[in-house]
Amino acid sequence: MPRARVLLGHGSGGKLTHQLIESLFLSQLANPILKALDDSAVFSVDSRGRLAFTTDSYVVRPLFFPGGDIGRLAVCGTVNDLAMVGATPLYLSAAFILEEGLPLADLRRITASLKGAAREAGVKIVAGDTKVVERGSADGLFINTAGLGLVPEGVDISGSNARPGDAVILSGPIGNHGISVLLERQQMGFVSTVKSDVAPLNLLVAAMLQASPNIHALRDPTRGGLATSLVEMARQSGVAIRIHEGKVPVDEEVAAACEILGYDPLYVANEGKLIALVAPQDAPGVIRAMKKSPYGRQATIIGEVLAEPRGKVLMATRVGGTRIVDMLSGEQFPRIC
């Protein structure tokens, strides 16, 4: 019997990823902080407050794509992981794994983009590392970033904090990042103007926190898309989430590409969108605050949190039916972040 091996689907962010984390990593490394399974670990440092800490690796192919590149992606992804627990991002590290033969002009361009994203987010790159591997070992360049932030007093945001009655807010149209990267690989044979939504969301989250102290959960729906992130939060909190198909925004070109290619936009990756579960009385004020940000102008309520059935996500369809929305199964397309 052949030995089980790692599959591309283990990196999808969907079912296989969760199975790998739970059966292998958590079974050996679990502790109360890690088991929270939020986008960042949050822990106290003596009596001086709470820190948020996270790390992520970026292996996108191609390195440059409409709307961004691997440098901007590396900063925004880690900043957003910190922002999703309500933290103020402060410091990042950046480790580069360079493949022999990578043009220095490309590396210079990527580093400039990384610098620009850090300036936009208001964070500093304070540590780093460089390794070079043989030609054919790294597809050009991989980047790992880690981030440190401060969690303001009174802020308690976690995927496990959703409550029945919460409004489900989405910051804008879904699927742009995944479709833009896929089309840039020139596998499709048609021209499109779809651009990645990659962006730092920390200032958007700060504005939301000023508008309401009742933001219970945040998540940026990256790998696995909107569907997988909603299922994660429903399971963490032991609640149900119902969304309305007609209220989920999808840009026309993204919807057309998904239809041609046979993809469901609910499962396509995003890098500049967030989901917020907010006390219903505060939702209108939070949306008004979001619309003042360039990254929240199309914010809208797409559903609500229910008590039952626990751990499930339901979607009210345009034709009046209801279907269960599950995590991404397998891998739609790899190397998108």
Side-chain angles (χ1 to χ4, degrees):
M1 183 176 181
R3 293 182 178 179
R5 297 177 184 274
V6 172
L7 306 173
L8 276 176
H10 285 121
S12 68
K15 280 185 177 178
L16 286 178
T17 302
H18 282 260
Q19 289 172 6
L20 185 69
I21 290 171
E22 291 169 7
S23 65
L24 197 153
F25 296 120
L26 279 183
S27 67
Q28 300 190 65
L29 306 175
N31 58 64
I33 296 174
L34 186 63
K35 287 178 69 174
L37 293 180
D38 284 321
D39 287 342
S40 290
V42 176
F43 47 90
S44 298
V45 180
D46 300 329
S47 59
R48 290 171 287 185
R50 291 174 298 153
L51 292 176
F53 179 59
T54 189
T55 186
D56 207 340
S57 298
Y58 300 88
V59 297
V60 66
R61 180 172 58 85
L63 299 177
F64 302 94
F65 47 84
D69 55 69
I70 191 172
R72 181 172 175 80
L73 190 63
V75 170
C76 294
T78 296
V79 163
N80 292 345
D81 281 347
L82 293 169
M84 293 307 112
V85 294
T88 301
L90 296 174
Y91 302 110
L92 267 59
S93 69
F96 297 83
I97 299 174
L98 309 173
E99 181 184 350
E100 177 188 20
L102 176 71
L104 285 176
D106 286 355
L107 182 58
R108 188 173 294 110
R109 181 179 165 193
I110 288 166
T111 307
S113 178
L114 187 148
K115 175 185 175 182
R119 183 187 296 124
E120 181 181 351
V123 298
K124 290 183 171 59
I125 310 294
V126 296
D129 182 52
T130 303
K131 296 288 190 301
V132 178
V133 297
E134 296 87 348
R135 193 183 299 268
S137 299
D139 209 1
L141 166 66
F142 298 153
I143 300 177
N144 172 271
T145 47
L148 197 62
L150 276 176
V151 182
E153 188 175 354
V155 171
D156 181 16
I157 294 175
S158 169
S160 62
N161 286 352
R163 303 172 189 177
D166 281 352
V168 181
I169 297 173
L170 181 63
S171 64
I174 58 173
N176 294 62
H177 176 72
I179 292 299
S180 73
V181 172
L182 186 65
L183 295 180
E184 186 63 14
R185 292 178 187 170
Q186 300 179 337
Q187 300 174 349
M188 305 301 120
F190 57 87
V191 177
S192 170
T193 59
V194 175
K195 290 185 178 180
S196 169
D197 57 359
V198 57
L201 300 176
N202 54 314
L203 299 182
L204 172 63
V205 171
M208 295 167 66
L209 288 171
Q210 283 193 334
S212 170
N214 296 307
I215 297 171
H216 298 145
L218 292 169
R219 188 64 52 93
D220 57 336
T222 54
R223 293 174 305 161
L226 175 66
T228 299
S229 293
L230 289 172
V231 174
E232 288 173 349
M233 290 193 286
R235 291 181 180 179
Q236 277 183 265
S237 294
V239 298
I241 294 176
R242 179 172 60 195
I243 61 173
H244 303 269
E245 184 177 19
K247 294 181 178 179
V248 177
V250 183
D251 285 343
E252 191 173 331
E253 276 202 86
V254 172
C258 286
E259 187 171 347
I260 292 170
L261 302 172
Y263 294 128
D264 185 338
L266 291 179
Y267 295 94
V268 179
N270 314 272
E271 289 292 341
K273 297 297 183 306
L274 66 80
I275 307 160
L277 306 184
V278 180
Q281 69 275 13
D282 287 11
V286 170
I287 288 181
R288 283 195 296 273
M290 294 175 74
K291 288 181 179 294
K292 294 176 182 176
S293 163
Y295 302 130
R297 285 180 182 149
Q298 294 174 276
T300 187
I301 295 175
I302 63 167
E304 56 279 329
V305 177
L306 309 173
E308 300 285 350
R310 294 186 178 190
K312 300 292 185 184
V313 174
L314 313 173
M315 184 164 76
T317 67
R318 287 189 176 88
V319 295
T322 298
R323 76 173 175 94
I324 292 177
V325 176
D326 203 353
M327 284 187 173
L328 175 66
S329 180
E331 175 68 278
Q332 282 206 108
F333 30 89
R335 306 283 301 278
I336 46 84
C337 63

